[in-house]
Amino acid sequence: MAEPIKVLVTGAAGQIAYSLLYNIAKGDVFGKDQPLILVLLDITPMMSVLEGVLMEIRDCALPLVREIIATDKEEEAFNCIDVAILVGSMPRREGMERKDLLQANAKIFKSQGNALDKFAKKTVKVLVVGNPANTNCLTAIKSAPSIPKENFSCLTRLDNNRARAQIAYKLGIPSNDVKNVIIWGNHSSTQYPDANHATVKVQGKEMSVSDAIKDDAWLKGDFISIVQQRGAAVIRARKLSSAMSAAKAISDHMKDIWFGTPEGEWVSMGVISNGNTYNIPNDLVYSFPVQIKNKTWSIVECLPINDFSCERMKATASELVEERDTAAEFLSSV
Ligand code: NAX
């Protein structure tokens, strides 16, 4: 059997981690032959809850779990890790301005970026989930200059899965018969879910989504707004934010980083922009379609972009520029 890998989950006492840790521990993410050292980080007031999570993982008696470390200390949590899944963040409290939320999180992700820089393996793969995920990811990248930028990504896979599921549901087909839907931009309500390049299999025949659905108004209207507003709809109904589906999306995302994407297929994730792709400004963590090989992503380039898409891709980029500048201004003042 392989040597164990060390996987850190932050926000480990929270609701997403409660589902995610089980998925990881039973081998759904890194494979059924990959032993694991699980590292759980949360803040000091959550240590007794974290102890309960640790007990439950142990009580699952899962053979891949070789060790569990629960801590509130970043230097211990980030030490020699192979993978960091950064879920923990400051939630939006009542009356809190967007700017306050950005700043509170910029502080957390600067500190965790520094910890990655100092203590993690240089090959560490980092997935940022805590919101605002794209900008938090950018802060972590900038705070960890010794780790390649390409090792970082942020989660837009939940949006990607939501979009696939909407199309599958509309056509009455299994979701794995829907391929290559794209989420562009920010994990926020400005994101642009794009089915223009997606294909579906209906009664054994592969075709474009627009040919299968034959309802352009839906694709340009409800489809987009349902996906953009899905997080808020779940909160309204459940009185809690998405957790099971978020944990599943994190597992899908990290599994694809580890094992790669199938030939001819792509998935969406937030990755660093270089200014040369789809006219998206340099130095943003922007969600693009990517393919993954040898644990390395590459953006799917040269897809034709119509005016409708172009406008929406730009709008979500503008929001990210604003978020980046707010976070940077704050970080330079502390
Ligand atoms: P919970 O509030 O249940 O859990 C968050 C946990 O993080 C808490 O236990 C808290 O103590 C901990 N925490 C706070 N600051 C920390 C720090 N500095 N270091 C370590 N731990 C810290 O939230 P949950 O529902 O689990 O959601 C976690 C984050 O995921 C939120 O920011 C949420 O907005 C974000 N999401 C992002 C998604 C995405 O697609 N990118 C989708 C799902 C989710 O909404």
Side-chain angles (χ1 to χ4, degrees):
M1 245 202 181
E3 281 295 301
I5 55 167
K6 211 169 172 189
V7 178
L8 164 66
V9 175
T10 73
Q15 55 151 2
I16 292 177
Y18 195 70
S19 295
L20 174 65
L21 285 164
Y22 180 58
N23 292 351
I24 295 173
K26 69 183 169 39
D28 284 2
V29 179
F30 301 102
K32 304 285 179 199
D33 299 322
Q34 177 58 64
L36 302 161
I37 299 170
L38 293 177
V39 189
L40 320 181
L41 176 73
D42 212 293
I43 51 176
T44 312
M46 298 303 283
M47 281 305 103
S48 72
V49 176
L50 202 58
E51 189 56 32
V53 175
L54 181 150
M55 286 191 257
E56 280 214 67
I57 299 173
R58 191 160 287 152
D59 295 348
C60 289
L62 292 161
L64 293 175
V65 179
R66 297 300 156 85
E67 192 183 341
I68 314 166
I69 300 165
T71 181
D72 56 359
K73 297 189 180 45
E74 286 181 350
E75 61 274 23
E76 187 183 4
F78 286 84
N79 187 37
C80 283
I81 49 171
D82 298 281
V83 175
I85 304 179
L86 307 182
V87 183
S89 65
M90 170 72 81
R92 192 173 199 147
R93 302 224 171 84
E94 230 172 301
M96 205 175 186
E97 297 283 328
R98 193 179 158 75
K99 196 170 165 206
D100 301 332
L101 184 75
L102 264 162
Q103 294 183 345
N105 282 293
K107 217 164 135 191
I108 293 174
F109 284 84
K110 182 177 180 191
S111 168
Q112 296 191 351
N114 287 336
L116 280 163
D117 201 49
K118 271 201 213 148
F119 304 115
K121 288 188 181 165
K122 299 304 169 202
T123 50
V124 65
K125 300 293 181 195
V126 184
L127 164 56
V128 176
V129 178
N131 277 319
N134 302 55
T135 300
N136 289 342
C137 185
L138 187 65
T139 302
I141 290 174
K142 288 181 189 280
S143 310
S146 70
I147 296 171
K149 292 179 178 145
E150 294 72 24
N151 291 17
F152 291 78
S153 54
C154 87
L155 188 76
T156 55
R157 185 61 169 267
L158 177 54
D159 310 297
N160 201 155
N161 285 350
R162 286 166 173 164
R164 271 178 91 183
Q166 284 301 316
I167 292 168
Y169 184 64
K170 178 106 176 151
L171 291 170
I173 59 175
S175 60
N176 59 350
D177 284 341
V178 183
K179 293 194 175 119
N180 298 347
V181 178
I182 302 170
I183 303 297
W184 299 99
N186 201 0
H187 169 70
S188 76
S189 57
T190 67
Q191 65 174 265
Y192 172 46
D194 176 5
N196 285 308
H197 312 281
T199 59
V200 290
K201 201 153 73 177
V202 182
Q203 291 164 351
K205 210 175 138 208
E206 188 121 352
M207 60 179 88
S208 71
V209 167
S210 64
D211 284 350
I213 289 192
K214 297 189 187 75
D215 184 352
D216 244 31
W218 184 80
L219 282 169
K220 285 185 167 162
D222 283 356
F223 165 67
I224 295 175
S225 56
I226 288 170
V227 177
Q228 287 173 334
Q229 302 297 333
R230 191 67 161 182
V234 169
I235 293 175
R236 267 198 308 279
R238 216 170 79 87
K239 317 283 180 260
L240 284 171
S241 58
S242 312
M244 186 206 310
S245 54
K248 161 66 166 55
I250 295 167
S251 305
D252 289 346
H253 177 123
M254 196 41 87
K255 186 177 178 195
D256 283 345
I257 289 191
W258 220 249
F259 294 105
T261 46
E263 205 53 48
E265 286 185 36
W266 56 74
V267 292
S268 298
M269 54 177 70
V271 295
I272 191 80
S273 62
N274 59 13
N276 301 328
T277 324
Y278 298 109
N279 291 322
I280 301 307
N282 191 20
D283 199 30
L284 295 177
V285 171
Y286 188 96
S287 179
F288 288 103
V290 301
Q291 290 177 314
I292 301 159
K293 245 189 203 155
N294 302 324
K295 298 192 172 62
T296 307
W297 54 262
S298 56
I299 296 173
V300 178
E301 298 202 41
C302 302
L303 295 170
I305 303 295
N306 61 29
D307 290 349
F308 180 88
S309 297
C310 187
E311 219 174 278
R312 280 153 188 80
M313 288 161 66
K314 258 198 216 155
T316 187
S318 302
E319 184 182 51
L320 281 171
V321 169
E322 242 175 70
E323 284 189 12
R324 176 189 67 193
D325 295 349
T326 307
E329 195 186 316
F330 168 71
L331 287 174
S332 69
S333 72
V334 288

